[in-house]
Amino acid sequence: MEFNPQSSLTPEHVSPDHIYLSSLPRRSDPLFRPVGGHFKRLIDIFIAVTALVALAPLMIGVALIIWLGSNGPILYGHQRVGFGGRTFRCWKFRSMVVDGDVVLERYLRANPDAQREWERDRKLRRDPRVTPIGAVIRMLSIDELPQLFNILAGEMSVVGPRPVVAAELRRYRGSAGHYLRTRPGLTGMWQVSGRSDLSYRQRVLLDRYYVMRWTVMADIAIILRTIPAVLRSRGSC
C-alpha cells in the first residue's frame, strides 16, 4: 500500500511511518527509475522463474514440514519499503510462532540486555519467537525463497539492499535516498559480507555502496558469492 495524503485515513489513524513515507520521492516521478532499469528487471524475471522451477520440490517439502510441524500459516508476510517508498508485503516461510509480537514484547520487558540489542540492531541473536524448524530454514536462508514471487511481481530484485520496514529506513538518514533508488534484494552485499555479524551502520553503508556502484557484473558476483555464504551459514539471523 502506498500512502495517499488524500485517502480516507483520519488524523488519528495516520501513523508516524505513514507521514514519513509520504515525504519520500514518489515512484511516479519520470526521472526516478530503479537502478539497472529494464535490463536488470529482465535478469530478475529470468532468474526467479528458473529458481522457482528448480526449487519447487524443496519449497513444497518445506511447506509441508511447516504445516505438519506447527500451528499457523505456512507463509508470513510483512510490510517492507520498496522502490520509491512504496510499501509491499515481503513473503517468507513462517519461521516464528504465530503470536510472535506478544512473545517478543514479553521477552524484551524481562531482558534489558535483549531490549538494548533489539533497539540497536533490530534483531536478536537468541530470538524467542523462532521455532525449531524455523531456526534451520533461517540458518540456510530457505525461509526467504518465497520472495521469488515478490521478484516476479516487480516488488523486489534478485540483488539489492536488504528490505527494511519504515522505522528502519529512518535510521538510514542520508542514505535513505540511495535505498529508495532500487528494489530491495533477495540477496545483496549484506548477505555476502557477513550477514548479521555486521553492525547496522555497516549494513547501511553496504546498501549505499551497492546503489552508487551498481553494475551487471557486480550483481553476478554477488549472486555467485551468495551460495557459499549461505552454506557457511555465517551470521545467519
Side-chain angles (χ1 to χ4, degrees), residues 139-141 187 191-195 220-235:
M139 180 178 66
L140 298 174
S141 295
T187 186
Q191 174 81 304
V192 302
S193 303
R195 303 176 76 181
I220 293 174
I222 289 172
I223 292 171
L224 293 176
R225 290 173 59 193
T226 296
I227 298 175
V230 170
L231 291 177
R232 287 194 302 267
S233 301
R234 179 166 57 93

Short mmCIF file of all heavy atoms in Angstrom, two decimals, residues 139-141 187 191-195 220-235:
data_model
loop_
_atom_site.label_atom_id
_atom_site.label_comp_id
_atom_site.label_asym_id
_atom_site.label_seq_id
_atom_site.Cartn_x
_atom_site.Cartn_y
_atom_site.Cartn_z
N MET A 139 18.71 -20.44 9.15
CA MET A 139 20.16 -20.61 9.08
C MET A 139 20.61 -20.80 7.63
O MET A 139 21.65 -20.30 7.21
CB MET A 139 20.59 -21.82 9.91
CG MET A 139 22.09 -22.08 9.91
SD MET A 139 22.54 -23.48 10.95
CE MET A 139 21.75 -24.82 10.04
N LEU A 140 19.78 -21.51 6.84
CA LEU A 140 20.11 -21.79 5.44
C LEU A 140 19.47 -20.80 4.48
O LEU A 140 19.58 -20.96 3.26
CB LEU A 140 19.67 -23.21 5.09
CG LEU A 140 20.35 -24.33 5.88
CD1 LEU A 140 19.73 -25.68 5.55
CD2 LEU A 140 21.86 -24.35 5.60
N SER A 141 18.78 -19.79 5.02
CA SER A 141 18.08 -18.77 4.22
C SER A 141 16.98 -19.35 3.34
O SER A 141 16.53 -18.70 2.40
CB SER A 141 19.08 -17.99 3.35
OG SER A 141 19.98 -17.25 4.14
N THR A 187 19.08 -11.17 -2.20
CA THR A 187 20.43 -11.21 -1.67
C THR A 187 21.08 -9.86 -1.95
O THR A 187 20.50 -9.01 -2.63
CB THR A 187 21.26 -12.35 -2.30
OG1 THR A 187 22.54 -12.43 -1.64
CG2 THR A 187 21.50 -12.13 -3.78
N GLN A 191 24.46 -9.75 2.41
CA GLN A 191 24.36 -11.20 2.53
C GLN A 191 25.74 -11.88 2.40
O GLN A 191 26.02 -12.87 3.07
CB GLN A 191 23.43 -11.73 1.44
CG GLN A 191 23.32 -13.24 1.32
CD GLN A 191 22.40 -13.86 2.33
OE1 GLN A 191 22.57 -13.66 3.52
NE2 GLN A 191 21.42 -14.61 1.86
N VAL A 192 26.58 -11.33 1.53
CA VAL A 192 27.86 -11.97 1.25
C VAL A 192 29.02 -11.34 2.02
O VAL A 192 30.16 -11.75 1.85
CB VAL A 192 28.16 -11.93 -0.27
CG1 VAL A 192 27.06 -12.63 -1.05
CG2 VAL A 192 28.33 -10.50 -0.77
N SER A 193 28.71 -10.36 2.88
CA SER A 193 29.77 -9.65 3.59
C SER A 193 29.69 -9.81 5.10
O SER A 193 30.27 -9.02 5.83
CB SER A 193 29.74 -8.16 3.23
OG SER A 193 29.86 -7.96 1.85
N GLY A 194 28.96 -10.83 5.56
CA GLY A 194 28.91 -11.06 6.99
C GLY A 194 27.53 -11.24 7.56
O GLY A 194 27.36 -11.65 8.70
N ARG A 195 26.49 -10.89 6.77
CA ARG A 195 25.11 -11.04 7.20
C ARG A 195 24.90 -10.37 8.55
O ARG A 195 25.25 -9.22 8.74
CB ARG A 195 24.70 -12.51 7.20
CG ARG A 195 24.89 -13.19 5.85
CD ARG A 195 24.59 -14.66 5.88
NE ARG A 195 23.15 -14.90 5.92
CZ ARG A 195 22.63 -16.11 5.98
NH1 ARG A 195 23.42 -17.17 6.05
NH2 ARG A 195 21.33 -16.27 6.00
N ILE A 220 26.21 -10.15 -10.70
CA ILE A 220 26.60 -11.54 -10.96
C ILE A 220 27.56 -12.03 -9.88
O ILE A 220 27.44 -13.15 -9.38
CB ILE A 220 27.23 -11.67 -12.36
CG1 ILE A 220 26.18 -11.39 -13.44
CG2 ILE A 220 27.84 -13.06 -12.55
CD1 ILE A 220 26.73 -11.35 -14.84
N ALA A 221 28.51 -11.19 -9.51
CA ALA A 221 29.48 -11.58 -8.47
C ALA A 221 28.79 -11.84 -7.15
O ALA A 221 29.12 -12.79 -6.43
CB ALA A 221 30.54 -10.48 -8.33
N ILE A 222 27.81 -11.00 -6.79
CA ILE A 222 27.09 -11.18 -5.53
C ILE A 222 26.28 -12.47 -5.55
O ILE A 222 26.25 -13.22 -4.57
CB ILE A 222 26.18 -9.96 -5.26
CG1 ILE A 222 27.05 -8.74 -4.91
CG2 ILE A 222 25.19 -10.25 -4.15
CD1 ILE A 222 26.28 -7.44 -4.82
N ILE A 223 25.63 -12.76 -6.68
CA ILE A 223 24.85 -13.99 -6.80
C ILE A 223 25.76 -15.20 -6.62
O ILE A 223 25.42 -16.16 -5.90
CB ILE A 223 24.13 -14.05 -8.16
CG1 ILE A 223 23.04 -12.97 -8.23
CG2 ILE A 223 23.52 -15.43 -8.40
CD1 ILE A 223 22.42 -12.80 -9.59
N LEU A 224 26.92 -15.19 -7.25
CA LEU A 224 27.85 -16.31 -7.15
C LEU A 224 28.40 -16.46 -5.74
O LEU A 224 28.66 -17.58 -5.28
CB LEU A 224 28.99 -16.14 -8.15
CG LEU A 224 28.60 -16.22 -9.64
CD1 LEU A 224 29.81 -15.95 -10.52
CD2 LEU A 224 28.00 -17.59 -9.96
N ARG A 225 28.57 -15.36 -5.04
CA ARG A 225 29.10 -15.41 -3.67
C ARG A 225 28.03 -15.78 -2.64
O ARG A 225 28.36 -16.16 -1.51
CB ARG A 225 29.71 -14.05 -3.31
CG ARG A 225 30.99 -13.73 -4.06
CD ARG A 225 31.44 -12.30 -3.77
NE ARG A 225 31.68 -12.08 -2.35
CZ ARG A 225 31.84 -10.88 -1.80
NH1 ARG A 225 31.74 -9.79 -2.57
NH2 ARG A 225 32.06 -10.76 -0.51
N THR A 226 26.75 -15.66 -3.03
CA THR A 226 25.67 -15.93 -2.08
C THR A 226 25.63 -17.40 -1.67
O THR A 226 25.44 -17.72 -0.49
CB THR A 226 24.31 -15.52 -2.68
OG1 THR A 226 24.30 -14.10 -2.90
CG2 THR A 226 23.17 -15.90 -1.75
N ILE A 227 25.83 -18.30 -2.64
CA ILE A 227 25.71 -19.73 -2.36
C ILE A 227 26.72 -20.17 -1.30
O ILE A 227 26.33 -20.77 -0.28
CB ILE A 227 25.87 -20.56 -3.65
CG1 ILE A 227 24.73 -20.20 -4.62
CG2 ILE A 227 25.87 -22.04 -3.33
CD1 ILE A 227 24.86 -20.88 -5.98
N PRO A 228 28.02 -19.90 -1.43
CA PRO A 228 28.94 -20.31 -0.36
C PRO A 228 28.68 -19.57 0.95
O PRO A 228 28.91 -20.13 2.03
CB PRO A 228 30.33 -19.96 -0.93
CG PRO A 228 30.09 -19.01 -2.05
CD PRO A 228 28.75 -19.35 -2.60
N ALA A 229 28.19 -18.32 0.88
CA ALA A 229 27.89 -17.58 2.11
C ALA A 229 26.78 -18.26 2.89
O ALA A 229 26.82 -18.38 4.12
CB ALA A 229 27.51 -16.14 1.78
N VAL A 230 25.75 -18.74 2.17
CA VAL A 230 24.64 -19.43 2.82
C VAL A 230 25.09 -20.78 3.36
O VAL A 230 24.72 -21.19 4.47
CB VAL A 230 23.46 -19.60 1.84
CG1 VAL A 230 22.41 -20.53 2.41
CG2 VAL A 230 22.84 -18.25 1.50
N LEU A 231 25.89 -21.49 2.58
CA LEU A 231 26.36 -22.82 3.01
C LEU A 231 27.22 -22.73 4.26
O LEU A 231 27.20 -23.62 5.11
CB LEU A 231 27.13 -23.50 1.88
CG LEU A 231 26.30 -23.92 0.65
CD1 LEU A 231 27.19 -24.51 -0.40
CD2 LEU A 231 25.20 -24.88 1.06
N ARG A 232 27.97 -21.61 4.38
CA ARG A 232 28.75 -21.43 5.60
C ARG A 232 27.87 -21.07 6.77
O ARG A 232 28.27 -21.22 7.92
CB ARG A 232 29.80 -20.31 5.38
CG ARG A 232 30.97 -20.69 4.51
CD ARG A 232 32.09 -19.69 4.62
NE ARG A 232 31.66 -18.35 4.29
CZ ARG A 232 31.77 -17.80 3.06
NH1 ARG A 232 32.28 -18.54 2.06
NH2 ARG A 232 31.38 -16.58 2.83
N SER A 233 26.66 -20.56 6.43
CA SER A 233 25.68 -20.16 7.47
C SER A 233 26.29 -19.19 8.45
O SER A 233 26.00 -19.20 9.64
CB SER A 233 25.16 -21.39 8.22
OG SER A 233 24.55 -22.28 7.34
N ARG A 234 27.16 -18.32 7.94
CA ARG A 234 27.84 -17.36 8.82
C ARG A 234 26.94 -16.16 9.09
O ARG A 234 26.45 -15.53 8.18
CB ARG A 234 29.15 -16.90 8.16
CG ARG A 234 29.93 -15.88 9.00
CD ARG A 234 31.34 -15.75 8.44
NE ARG A 234 31.36 -15.37 7.05
CZ ARG A 234 31.44 -14.10 6.64
NH1 ARG A 234 31.43 -13.13 7.50
NH2 ARG A 234 31.51 -13.82 5.35
N GLY A 235 26.72 -15.89 10.35
CA GLY A 235 25.93 -14.71 10.73
C GLY A 235 24.48 -14.84 10.35
O GLY A 235 23.83 -13.86 10.07
#
